[in-house]
Amino acid sequence: MSQRKIYYLDNNATTRVAPEVVAAMLPFLTEQWGNPSSAYAFGSEVAKQIEAARAKAAALINADPRAVVFTSCGTESNNTAIHSALMTQPGKRHIVTTAVEHSAIVKFCEYLKKRGYETTFLPVQSDGSIDLHQLEKSIRHDTAIVSAMWANNETGVLFPIQEIAAICRSKGVLCHTDAVQAAGKLPVDVERLGVDFLSLSAHKFHAPKGIGLLYVRRRTRFQSYLIGGNQERDRRGGTENVPYIVGLGRAAELAVEHLHDENTRVRALRDRLENGVLAAIPNTSRNGAKDERLPNTTNIAFDFIEAEAILLMLDQVGICASSGSACTTGSVEPSHVLLAMGLNPARARGSVRFSLGTYNTGEDVDYLLEHLPKIVAKLRAVSPAGTFDVKSVSPELRPSRAGAARRAKGKLRIQAGLPHGSRR
Ligand code: PLP
């Protein structure tokens, strides 16, 4: 692997594992490798460390530690919450969610549809927000759960979870929030939010991939998703991933410490990046609300060119960013989030997400602002649509943006040594 410097502006995809987290995990890979369910001290000492990590994770979200169930990831947490709501209320077969959720919710609901369950996917407005009145009206007598993400992974747009949970409570319906993108970026307080379930994924806040948690409000009826041993107080079968649980605990402590930095320094870097791009590059616009969003995220549409071509050229100079969610990379489909916000497919395909974090500095933003305008100008130069403002031309006379972008991408693929038609 090359040792060149990486300018990592994709912290919503995943984050660097903090050195403090690695240090906390190592003893549980090398010396303290006992099974926490074993009766002897070599095991029970490990079990104590799981409980210490649970207390730290609970502190991050202001929960009772007994309400924290460790899972393998955000996806498992999301699937588990919905599955539990359906299994514990067999007469209720309807789910309310939104059109902009992560695939861990959208695809699970589509899977459930084939098994006779119904889902209402609430639309969003052009700034990515939802209409709470419409949400309230969509709740039916057979609604088992409302699942709404707190922060959108692509745009950073926030949903008012506290209000959504209050509506659910007034209707006697369970409320879940996918808070995977919120942890470490916003203060998370399950008591204030009033939700019944909340999902987190540790690789979004500087712990490794493959560990997450599901908060389950005390006294909420619960059906486990993985059935086996009686780990996690019978709420998740399977021997605990001890090193990763310990890593999550340490990362949770660091997330609390870094929260101020995220909302001041990182926010200022994000704003400088966003304002810099919008000012330096014509025909660009921000996707999503300006204020009601995460402090680290910006999603920008670059007219007349495809994001995939921009990302390829950014990669060549060591800059990591993304279009849409990382889980759908390789797909030619435009982002379902941006389409739901009413962007036309061409503009959605020309949109790039930049997401910053604790380890970013002003140098990263300067570097991007130095390279991106040149990259966009180069791409637009090979795009017939790029030499004039397409919006000033009537729709039927406009050149095909997709064709132009394909031509641009073809040139780039040759430069990058990639065969035509290959996907990355
Ligand atoms: N929910 C959101 C909003 C996400 O951004 C992600 C990851 O990208 C997930 C869920 C899935 O988390 P994991 O990768 O831990 O399964």
Side-chain angles (χ1 to χ4, degrees), residues 1-224:
M1 199 163 145
S2 89
Q3 293 301 301
R4 69 176 177 160
K5 183 166 163 48
I6 286 299
Y7 295 82
Y8 189 75
L9 303 174
D10 202 15
N11 286 272
N12 287 9
T14 196
T15 56
R16 172 183 162 186
V17 180
E20 297 93 325
V21 170
V22 176
M25 289 171 63
L26 273 178
F28 298 91
L29 289 163
T30 51
E31 294 143 28
Q32 292 174 264
W33 41 262
N35 187 324
S37 298
S38 300
Y40 40 80
F42 188 57
S44 57
E45 283 303 318
V46 171
K48 279 186 203 154
Q49 295 308 314
I50 292 182
E51 293 320 307
R54 197 185 308 281
K56 291 172 189 170
L60 175 65
I61 60 173
N62 190 32
D64 181 329
R66 289 169 296 180
V68 170
V69 181
F70 290 119
T71 64
S72 66
C73 58
T75 300
E76 183 190 327
S77 301
N78 284 349
N79 286 195
T80 302
I82 292 180
H83 171 263
S84 176
L86 296 173
M87 292 302 116
T88 56
Q89 307 171 95
K92 298 191 172 184
R93 302 183 69 79
H94 177 235
I95 301 149
V96 174
T97 187
T98 80
V100 296
E101 300 294 313
H102 188 269
S103 52
I105 293 290
V106 173
K107 289 202 181 158
F108 193 57
C109 290
E110 284 167 359
Y111 160 88
L112 290 168
K113 188 177 170 200
K114 294 191 192 117
R115 281 146 191 87
Y117 294 93
E118 260 187 272
T119 302
T120 300
F121 290 98
L122 292 169
V124 295
Q125 344 247 344
S126 59
D127 65 355
S129 62
I130 44 172
D131 176 349
L132 292 183
H133 192 60
Q134 195 174 9
L135 181 141
E136 185 165 7
K137 278 199 309 194
S138 70
I139 296 175
R140 312 190 317 209
H141 68 280
D142 63 340
T143 303
I145 189 164
V146 173
S147 178
M149 70 200 317
W150 191 353
N152 189 276
N153 43 309
E154 295 189 31
T155 60
V157 170
L158 304 176
F159 285 158
I161 298 303
Q162 206 174 338
E163 277 110 306
I164 293 171
I167 293 170
C168 292
R169 215 174 312 119
S170 74
K171 298 264 187 182
V173 173
L174 291 170
C175 183
H176 165 249
T177 189
D178 173 350
V180 163
Q181 292 293 345
K185 299 168 190 159
L186 302 174
V188 183
D189 180 339
V190 289
E191 289 311 322
R192 206 165 62 83
L193 288 174
V195 292
D196 302 293
F197 299 104
L198 178 142
S199 303
L200 294 191
S201 176
H203 74 98
K204 308 292 184 177
F205 56 96
H206 303 292
K209 294 149 208 52
I211 185 74
L213 70 80
L214 179 65
Y215 160 79
V216 183
R217 179 172 290 282
R218 300 270 292 150
R219 287 185 279 282
T220 302
R221 287 203 295 151
F222 186 74
Q223 170 61 55
S224 54

